[in-house]
Amino acid sequence: MPIRDLLLGLFVIVIWALNIIVIKVGVAELPPLLMMTLRFTLVAVLLVPFYPVARAQLPFLLLLSITFGSLHFALLFIGLEHAEAGTGALLVQMGTPFATLLAVIFLKEKLGPKRIVGLLLSFAGVVVLAGGPTLPSPLPLAILLCSAMGWAVSQLLIKRGPPIAPMALAGWVALFAVPQVALGSWLFESGQWQAIQQATWLGWGAMIYTAVMSSIVAYGIWYALLRRHPVNRVVPMTLLVPVLAVGLGALLMGDSLGVHKLVGGGLVIAGIALIVIRFRRRNR
């Protein structure tokens, strides 16, 4: 990969890793579902007018807005409100093992020895994390794992669904997700108007960052890289996201770096690496 594209890929990884920290900052001032409502609204306003889709694609996008918008993103914001940034980033990475298992069950994909070892290492990492003091209480833990499952289900839907331009998909999923998360905020949260009035530039900046930088800029660059290079050269870079998130959490948020987090996180990342990286035999 040329140095320019490699640096672009690393720039995207930094944006996504910092996004975990930014979400933590945002939900400290804005209720999670309210922040998601504002985020999705901004993404939809910026993308939908410029990326029209066919009417036949709308039911698929509506379904994806439930799994990707409400289940993955909304639960991620809720879970991170009660978890350390690094630990939350590691738990959400379980979406890859979940997607692998779902592909075996529903798409009849074969599971080779390497991927089996990867799955075992990933789940072993979660067990190690569970023995440490940084793991959130059972409810936030379940919420973050459900967020990972929402991501996994969404990947299978995208794989089997109609071909839609990435920016169009992001915009229309956000549009359909707005009423869902807004209803959730109305039912389960309180003090939304007071939070909007009292939010500082940190809260508003966090919302704008997650919408513009993470959802639009980062994904725009990422899909451009996927068009120019083989998937196996681009996707493994995402393994750096939880590593950077753990480091940034310790540096910026004062998160702990205990043995359980380092060992458990290492097992999770090693397992995901075995799942996503394809090793080729070289001829002598």
Side-chain angles (χ1 to χ4, degrees), residues 9-162:
L10 293 176
F11 176 61
V12 171
I13 298 307
V14 171
I15 290 176
W16 284 337
L18 190 59
N19 188 55
I20 302 295
I21 310 299
V22 169
I23 291 173
K24 286 285 296 180
V25 173
V27 295
E29 297 196 8
L30 296 167
L33 292 177
L34 172 63
M35 185 175 173
M36 274 310 322
T37 303
L38 298 172
R39 175 190 185 272
F40 280 142
T41 300
L42 182 56
V43 171
V45 168
L46 293 176
L47 292 181
V48 168
F50 306 101
Y51 294 94
V53 295
R55 183 174 298 179
Q57 296 172 334
L58 294 180
F60 169 75
L61 291 167
L62 176 60
L63 175 61
L64 197 60
S65 72
I66 297 172
T67 61
F68 205 35
S70 295
L71 289 181
H72 172 57
F73 278 113
L75 293 182
L76 173 63
F77 277 51
I78 295 172
L80 284 176
E81 185 182 20
H82 305 284
E84 287 190 356
T87 304
L90 291 168
L91 291 173
V92 172
Q93 294 300 310
M94 293 303 295
T96 298
F98 289 159
T100 302
L101 290 175
L102 291 176
V104 171
I105 296 171
F106 294 103
L107 304 183
K108 307 303 180 184
E109 292 188 2
K110 293 184 179 180
L111 197 63
K114 181 173 71 70
R115 297 173 79 189
I116 292 175
V117 173
L119 288 172
L120 293 176
L121 285 177
S122 300
F123 286 105
V126 174
V127 172
V128 174
L129 284 171
T134 64
L135 198 73
S137 58
L139 181 57
L141 171 63
I143 289 174
L144 286 170
L145 291 178
C146 286
S147 172
M149 181 60 74
W151 182 90
V153 173
S154 301
Q155 301 313 301
L156 264 66
L157 290 176
I158 292 172
K159 189 174 183 178
R160 304 293 288 182

Side-chain angles (χ1 to χ4, degrees), residues 231-249:
V231 172
N232 196 46
R233 292 184 184 178
V234 179
V235 170
M237 284 194 288
T238 58
L239 296 172
L240 294 174
V241 172
V243 176
L244 285 177
V246 169
L248 290 172

